[in-house]
Amino acid sequence: MKVSTLVSIASTITLALAAPRPQKPYYTYKNSTGTTSPEPLRPGTPTPTVYAFSTKQYASVLTPSPSPTLSPSPDAASAFESLLSHFNASSAATAAPSSLPQADGQEYVVLFDPDHPTPPEVSEVLQRIGINGTQDINYVYDNSAFRGFAGVMGDDHVQALVDMQEVKFVEASVKISSFETLVRGNSPWGLQRISQQGKVSGDDTKMAFQYSYDSVGNLGQGVDIYIVDTGINIAHQAFGGRATMGFSKDGAQDLNAACDQDGHGTHVAGTAAANIFGVASGANLIGVKVLGADGSGYSSDTIKGLDYVVRTHDKKKTSPLFVGSIASMSWGLSARSDSVEQAINAAVDAGVHVSVAAGNQGTNACNGAPASTGGKGADGKGGKGVAVGSINNQDQISTFSNTGQCVDVYAPGEYILSTWIKGTNTVNALSGTSMACPHVTGLMAYLMARNATLAGCPAFLKEYLASTAFAHDLTAQKAVTGGDLGLLVNNGVKGVGKQDYFGNGTVAKRGWEMPKTTRVALRW
């Protein structure tokens, strides 16, 4: 839920259905998931109200403001510009990966099929494809495990090898480099928490933390993150031109930088992928506006937003530059919704990764959609989405955070600094599972850009996030719903030992669970 006034994050939050909205043409959902249906309610019946899960802490406008309550410190604007300039300079200094050479004259690795009845000799294969001599052959592989060669060949030679039954693999030789761990300073505390093992220390209101990450994947470059929310202030400097608006419930005329009149979607987008504030600062951000200026909306709008995501994903997935799609949804209903859950599950089946907020009622995450699609699922048979609960900077599960078997992992969700509206260099601090969710959204993009297998299989990535998370000694300030594993998400850079992105090396010990009635004393 989103609360528009200063409210203690420990207070009880209630949800209520809004009054029926004015009549509008019903949506029809048509995409590859097979969903072709009208809004699933009789005419005149209001669809369930959807709420964003956040609590506003304060707003800081980094440009001169006519409102005295939002006036920045004298150095605020220059501080932001300095941070942005530093980030842009660092990005420019990192050379883009060189493109692969054309097929003619490229080196290929060729491995023979060990199960073929008569494995050929290298010289025989070269003669059959018209290569005389070995001047272009760089290596010959000849051992008891595998046989083959590497050499510089053109298109005709490669095609001839592909057509041979005795040949199992023909692959272009690629440059291999060791993993380099990079560190980005001047970051919010949440980015440091997901990239190290230990608890953070310091003032969480300051941009004084360090974000550590591996260089492979260029921080999610090429991944499409769909922010299904209140829209995005696409003109914000921290997005670096990578943010666009794709869909709005209010029509095509609303696809502009002013579409987000609430700020929630812009804040979520910033944590997921903005420069300075974001986890995946190389990913593409696409705004999908399904909530209004008050941070609420209707389930029919959210399903239409997912319809747009799936259709766009289907169009783009055949492009050679396509990496993958994520739908990030930091909102929820007060109860389960068959139509919302079905749409999310179908989107995942279509190849779209889905991250959702666990909810802010401080109860069982399985009680409301879309969190009910996370973790083990509300039915215990395995959810398809990734549901995210919230912690504070003391590694305590937030008092407002929903818990239970529908929660996959926890991430920072209190006092999160990120991008804001009504300016191109404005920031705000919010708390909520809405703020925890985009940390995981960004991490998903980061991992997808590094590993095509993870990008192509939402179920694999969901399991990977859990297997590399820390079964950290998270403490609870209130009872935690049974079935919750208490996993703290981590990007693998600063785990116990060094984890690689295939999940090898040291991984978390799982199995942390609290009975429904247990109350745990604070440990610090």
Side-chain angles (χ1 to χ4, degrees), residues 267-356:
H267 193 280
V268 168
T271 300
N275 299 343
I276 304 172
F277 305 100
V279 178
S281 301
N284 305 315
L285 286 162
I286 303 99
V288 180
K289 182 177 177 178
V290 299
L291 306 179
D294 61 351
S296 67
Y298 292 86
S299 60
S300 58
D301 293 325
T302 64
I303 295 174
K304 185 60 179 176
L306 278 172
D307 177 72
Y308 165 81
V309 171
V310 173
R311 286 187 289 106
T312 308
H313 167 83
D314 288 341
K315 290 177 182 178
K316 299 182 70 173
K317 67 183 181 182
T318 57
S319 168
L321 300 178
F322 178 78
V323 178
S325 304
I326 307 171
S328 183
M329 299 186 292
S330 288
W331 47 263
L333 289 83
S334 57
R336 299 277 302 278
S337 167
D338 289 341
S339 58
V340 170
E341 292 175 10
Q342 178 183 345
I344 289 174
N345 290 335
V348 173
D349 289 341
V352 178
H353 300 255
V354 175
S355 58
V356 301

Side-chain angles (χ1 to χ4, degrees), residues 26 40 53 70 203 309 331 384 415-416 448 487:
Y26 284 176
F53 289 133
L70 296 178
D203 186 350
V309 171
W331 47 263
K384 294 185 178 182
Y415 211 92
I416 304 301
M448 289 164 65
L487 300 177

